Amino acid sequence: MSIGGWNQPSGEGRWDFFVSYTARDRSWAEWIAWQLESADFRVLVQAWDMVAGSNWTATMQDGIRYSTRTLAVCSNAYLESVFGEQEWQAAFAADPTGADRRLLPVRIEACPRPGVLNQRVSVDLFSLSPQDARDALLQAVREAIAGRAKPPAEPRFPGGGPMPPRAPATSAAPTFPGHSDSVAAGPTITAPSGRAAPGAEVGECRALLIGVAGYEDDALPARPELTPQLDAVAEALEGVGYRAEVHDRSRLGGSAVKTAIHSFLRDAGPADTLLLLLAGHGVHHDGRDFLVPADADTGYQPFWDVCVRLDWSETISRSPARRVLVLVDAADDLDEALRVTLTEDGWSEGRLSPGDGTDHAYLVRRTRYPHAASPLLRVLTEVLGERPAPADLPALRAALRRHLTAMAPTSLGGPGGRDGSGWPGDAGDQAGPSCGTPAVAGRGEPCELRVVEHCDPARFRPFPAAPVAGASAVADHPWRRAAERHAAWTLMTDTPGAEELRTATIELAGVLGGARDRAAARLPADPWLDQQLALRLVKRVEFLARLLGTEPPPLSPAEAALLVAMPFLGEAVGAILVADATVAHPGAGATADLRSGAAAALTADFASFSGRHPRLLRRIDRARRTADAAAAEAIGWWLAHRWSVWRSGSQLGPVLGELLGGLDPDLPIGEVLTGPRIIALLTALRAEPAYLNRPGRAATLRDQVTVAAATADEMTLRERFVGYLLAVAHRMALEPAALPVVVVEHLGVADAVDLAALAETIRGAQWQKRGRSGRALSARCQHQAAAAGCGPARRAQSRGPGALAA
């Protein structure tokens, strides 16, 4: 199969497309470039590729010369541009007859095509919705490459009949630059006000976190603490039911930040709750507040013109989302000489306009003092860790205030308050009650929270509702919610048993989450237990599944169910095996009962396994002799994880019997999740992808089988294909205990690996695009052993897309 590029020609071009545009149409050019790169094309576009130090003229010449095709973004301004004319005419001269389709005009407004340009067939994107524009663009590209316009599926019978349903498409990152009134939000039940009626539709809780931790201009001080803090907040949000995304840290320029925010707000579902978190340096001018982007130049005046405004009310008013909460943590700790030229006094006193149609609120970190560090992100993480989560905006304000007042302001860099020991109270909000509190017992707020509410705060629900008393925690478990919204369901064929299988798989995810939680409660001291591994693995599976396209749906219901269930099943089984074996390994502590026969047998088995790692045993002995108990226990816990995987062949049967024993073998879920199949997939999950191609593997995971054969629920299942997806996704997810032994060998030494820092590295790791279809792991590894340990993940993933396309 092909996974993007639509079987591109093997021409000599470095790029598939050079996007030619004029400066006024930059937003269109970026949107078009994003759609092309999402379809796996190589694109050269000035907005992204003309970085500091680039030779603009040489790069443009290379783009025209070495790109297979030039895509001209045609508008009245473009057709009047001298440089634009030179670029499209060069592409025309290279293919004057149009036989190779080297020039592809794309009109973004109703403009004439002068002279010879009128001889080329164009595609028009103006007056279309974002999805229709994307479809039109990629359809035109596909036809230009193929040289004909044969549809990918059989045309509908002209005599009539219903149109087949379209699979939902993934949302584009840059905001669609066309008309907002043409965006189809989909069917909703509306209240008399025009807003989606409460309870009419259940939406998602989605969060976008943008933190500018570093700046290209050295005059702006870096905020390195933002990186781990944002990762911690994202993890905490996932824990309360959000789908959280930390914005790409390599794209924090002003245009990229604005585009990401526009896309996030405008591509929401009609009943979604959105949380936008912005962090970095902030400046103030004429009653308005701004976030300083990474590419801001302090030499440019007026400086705020190159910054990102914090008032998003106009865009929020056009968002289909039901409610939007904007959290701002913008530091005001600029050098005094720099402050004079960059900002006015009064940060966070600015106007925040109301918007119609969507409930929204702003919560802004505020201080009147320069050099006052803000603990807002740290406090937010603590609040999200409490149960239940705040039920409304007043409860969220109160919880944040309670944690802030518990902090000593002197430890955060702020001056004393009215009595020399606290902070002054808030002067009041523009809309909504004051968040300031007086100093309490010599302590006060290290920063103030200014809340502007364009909503009924008591009815604004910032987080998913907690389960009612007596209700099963399974129904509200984060794993169940993640399974319910998994992308695999949108990619499966619609067959008679599909919905029943989907419902059963979602319920199973909640059950598995409860089992994992009970096992994890028995492992409070395990430094290798990653509570977010399954959710991280889900995201990697979704990413790989989306590479398969959407038409026709690439997955059978059986394949979708396995891709959804296996990350949760794998982590639940792993936690249970490690917890069951704690009586035997060095992490057991003084509470382990070593007198029982079962414990003695486990201890002997663990000792036999540990003998395979003599260097680690010597490291444990050395750590104990030097009173480094933490290092000794950490090595012991790692051995316990590896031992559990090693002995899982004999233990998987009983554990799976506990977890899956209630499944009816006559129902689709029982037909799909059979014991031998699950054991084979769990083995493949942690194996090298190449493991599945070794001789003898075909008898375990087959290329294609039939599930529920000769019944109404009959469906196909590519077992080996599912195994490939899971194996590659697991490597991309970076399980701490599955990292190579080189990481563990650097515990208990002089330059030791910091496991807390390693966890932050894993949480913040991103897979950046490399070349046409490759991915490169980008992670802030603070130790050489951690960087070496991630090497196998990089190599395994670089082979992953090729395996999927094979």
Side-chain angles (χ1 to χ4, degrees):
M1 69 182 70
S2 174
I3 55 166
W6 291 297
N7 300 319
Q8 305 164 48
S10 59
E12 73 286 350
R14 280 184 212 165
W15 301 280
D16 298 306
F17 289 96
F18 166 58
V19 179
S20 173
Y21 67 98
T22 191
R24 199 195 74 173
D25 302 324
R26 172 172 174 166
S27 60
W28 271 104
E30 289 194 79
W31 184 86
I32 289 169
W34 187 282
Q35 311 312 314
L36 295 173
E37 289 200 348
S38 295
D40 226 5
F41 290 105
R42 299 165 298 171
V43 180
L44 177 67
V45 59
Q46 179 184 351
W48 299 347
D49 296 304
M50 301 298 109
V51 297
S54 299
N55 186 319
W56 181 84
T57 304
T59 305
M60 288 295 99
Q61 291 175 345
D62 285 349
I64 297 169
R65 182 177 181 182
Y66 296 117
S67 293
T68 305
R69 291 177 175 83
T70 295
L71 188 150
V73 182
C74 295
S75 65
N76 288 309
Y78 178 81
L79 297 174
E80 295 172 1
S81 167
V82 174
F83 292 111
E85 183 178 22
Q86 291 175 349
E87 290 167 4
W88 74 255
Q89 286 186 349
F92 184 93
D95 180 27
T97 66
D100 295 329
R101 300 166 299 284
R102 295 286 299 271
L103 175 62
L104 179 59
V106 175
R107 294 201 306 168
I108 60 171
E109 62 185 33
C111 58
R113 289 172 294 153
V116 295
L117 190 60
N118 194 41
Q119 301 173 12
R120 297 297 166 89
V121 177
S122 67
V123 55
D124 294 343
L125 303 185
F126 54 90
S127 300
L128 298 178
S129 70
Q131 185 58 50
D132 289 342
R134 181 182 187 276
D135 291 345
L137 172 68
L138 297 183
Q139 179 71 12
V141 168
R142 178 171 60 186
E143 293 169 357
I145 292 172
R148 64 193 306 232
K150 179 181 178 180
E154 179 184 358
R156 188 177 66 171
F157 176 60
M163 289 290 287
R166 287 177 56 182
T170 56
S171 58
T175 304
F176 177 65
H179 300 296
S180 61
D181 56 3
S182 64
V183 179
T188 60
I189 302 174
T190 57
S193 64
R195 184 180 305 160
E201 189 173 341
V202 178
E204 277 192 300
C205 290
R206 298 173 50 230
L208 176 66
L209 289 71
I210 300 177
V212 186
Y215 297 86
E216 297 174 10
D217 191 329
D218 293 336
L220 293 167
R223 296 194 61 192
E225 76 280 359
L226 287 182
T227 298
Q229 286 179 353
L230 283 176
D231 292 337
V233 171
E235 184 174 333
L237 285 168
E238 292 274 3
V240 298
Y242 267 82
R243 180 183 288 254
E245 174 190 356
V246 178
H247 179 62
D248 185 349
R249 293 186 173 104
S250 67
R251 294 182 51 76
L252 290 171
S255 177
V257 169
K258 293 175 185 177
T259 296
I261 296 174
H262 270 285
S263 176
F264 175 67
L265 294 175
R266 296 173 64 181
D267 292 343
D272 287 354
T273 295
L274 304 183
L275 189 152
L276 174 63
L277 193 155
L278 305 172
H281 285 298
V283 296
H284 179 82
H285 170 69
D286 190 27
R288 302 285 184 187
D289 299 318
F290 303 83
L291 183 75
V292 181
D295 59 355
D297 184 353
T298 56
Y300 184 92
Q301 293 296 327
F303 180 69
W304 39 85
D305 277 2
V306 295
C307 297
V308 179
R309 274 184 55 177
L310 294 182
D311 188 350
W312 290 94
S313 299
E314 182 179 351
T315 307
I316 289 172
S317 67
R318 297 195 299 269
S319 174
R322 178 176 296 170
R323 61 185 70 89
V324 178
L325 176 61
V326 182
L327 302 179
V328 181
D329 179 10
D332 194 18
D333 56 352
L334 302 173
D335 181 84
E336 194 59 38
L338 198 59
R339 285 173 50 82
V340 174
T341 60
L342 301 188
T343 183
E344 301 170 1
D345 291 334
W347 165 240
S348 83
E349 296 282 0
R351 299 183 298 274
L352 292 168
S353 307
D356 298 328
T358 300
D359 287 340
H360 61 287
Y362 295 83
L363 192 155
V364 184
R365 193 278 295 181
R366 172 190 182 195
T367 177
R368 297 188 182 93
Y369 306 99
H371 311 295
S374 170
L376 180 57
L377 296 184
R378 179 164 33 129
V379 164
L380 178 61
T381 304
E382 295 173 357
V383 169
L384 292 172
E386 298 177 342
R387 293 295 183 270
D392 52 30
L393 277 183
L396 175 60
R397 281 203 314 266
L400 291 171
R401 185 189 308 135
R402 184 177 67 254
H403 282 264
L404 286 170
T405 54
M407 290 178 146
T410 53
S411 67
L412 296 162
R418 282 181 290 246
D419 61 357
S421 59
W423 292 83
D426 194 350
D429 295 337
Q430 174 187 355
S434 169
C435 290
T437 57
V440 178
R443 309 178 77 178
E445 287 188 277
C447 73
E448 299 171 23
L449 301 178
R450 176 172 178 265
V451 179
V452 178
E453 297 160 338
H454 298 296
C455 60
D456 179 351
R459 295 176 62 86
F460 191 106
R461 301 288 186 263
F463 306 111
V468 297
S472 171
V474 167
D476 194 55
H477 198 280
W479 283 13
R480 187 189 185 282
R481 294 194 295 268
E484 188 172 21
R485 64 194 183 211
H486 201 290
W489 304 125
T490 69
L491 301 173
M492 73 174 179
T493 55
D494 186 13
T495 62
E499 187 57 34
E500 181 182 359
L501 181 56
R502 177 180 180 273
T503 301
T505 304
I506 292 170
E507 294 301 320
L508 175 63
V511 173
L512 294 174
R516 188 287 310 266
D517 291 347
R518 290 189 294 274
R522 298 157 60 192
L523 303 167
D526 183 356
W528 302 95
L529 185 66
D530 188 342
Q531 300 278 13
Q532 296 299 312
L533 175 62
L535 296 176
R536 200 162 60 243
L537 182 52
V538 164
K539 291 182 179 180
R540 302 313 182 196
V541 170
E542 289 180 315
F543 162 73
L544 293 173
R546 287 192 177 106
L547 294 179
L548 306 172
T550 58
E551 295 182 1
L555 301 174
S556 72
E559 292 162 351
L562 285 171
L563 291 176
V564 172
M566 288 305 301
F568 305 124
L569 194 53
E571 186 175 338
V573 168
I576 290 171
L577 288 176
V578 175
D580 287 348
T582 53
V583 296
H585 59 74
T591 60
D593 182 5
L594 301 179
R595 295 170 297 177
S596 68
L602 285 173
T603 303
D605 192 52
F606 178 74
S608 175
F609 170 81
S610 302
R612 301 165 180 253
H613 299 276
R615 178 179 295 184
L616 294 184
L617 293 180
R618 291 195 296 271
R619 190 62 48 80
I620 290 176
D621 183 62
R622 175 184 173 184
R624 285 173 174 167
R625 283 188 283 106
T626 57
D628 190 354
E633 290 187 2
I635 297 172
W637 280 108
W638 185 88
L639 286 169
H641 278 267
R642 304 312 301 159
W643 176 48
S644 297
V645 173
W646 177 72
R647 66 191 288 266
S648 61
S650 61
Q651 299 299 314
L652 275 179
V655 174
L656 290 177
E658 272 183 41
L659 294 174
L660 306 178
L663 300 181
D664 188 338
D666 294 328
L667 295 179
I669 187 72
E671 292 268 9
V672 173
L673 298 180
T674 62
R677 180 177 294 131
I678 295 303
I679 290 174
L681 287 173
L682 286 175
T683 302
L685 186 70
R686 287 180 169 80
E688 287 276 359
Y691 167 83
L692 295 168
N693 269 340
R694 291 178 187 170
R697 292 298 99 202
T700 305
L701 290 176
R702 292 162 287 180
D703 287 330
Q704 184 167 311
V705 297
T706 301
V707 176
T711 70
D713 299 325
E714 181 175 289
M715 62 191 88
T716 60
L717 170 58
R718 295 166 291 174
E719 292 179 329
R720 192 194 298 262
F721 170 73
V722 172
Y724 270 123
L725 277 169
L726 293 171
V728 175
H730 181 262
R731 286 304 176 108
M732 293 180 70
L734 301 175
E735 180 183 3
L739 294 177
V741 70
V742 64
V743 176
V744 193
E745 289 175 342
H746 282 77
L747 296 174
V749 296
D751 183 19
V753 168
D754 184 335
L755 292 183
L758 177 63
E760 291 180 2
T761 293
I762 291 174
R763 283 196 301 266
Q766 296 180 340
W767 291 92
Q768 303 287 349
K769 205 160 190 177
R770 182 178 63 185
R772 180 177 300 182
S773 60
R775 292 279 163 167
L777 179 61
S778 173
R780 188 185 297 272
C781 296
Q782 301 177 1
H783 197 285
Q784 291 182 346
C790 292
R794 288 195 296 267
R795 292 192 293 273
Q797 201 283 331
S798 66
R799 296 192 295 268
L804 300 182

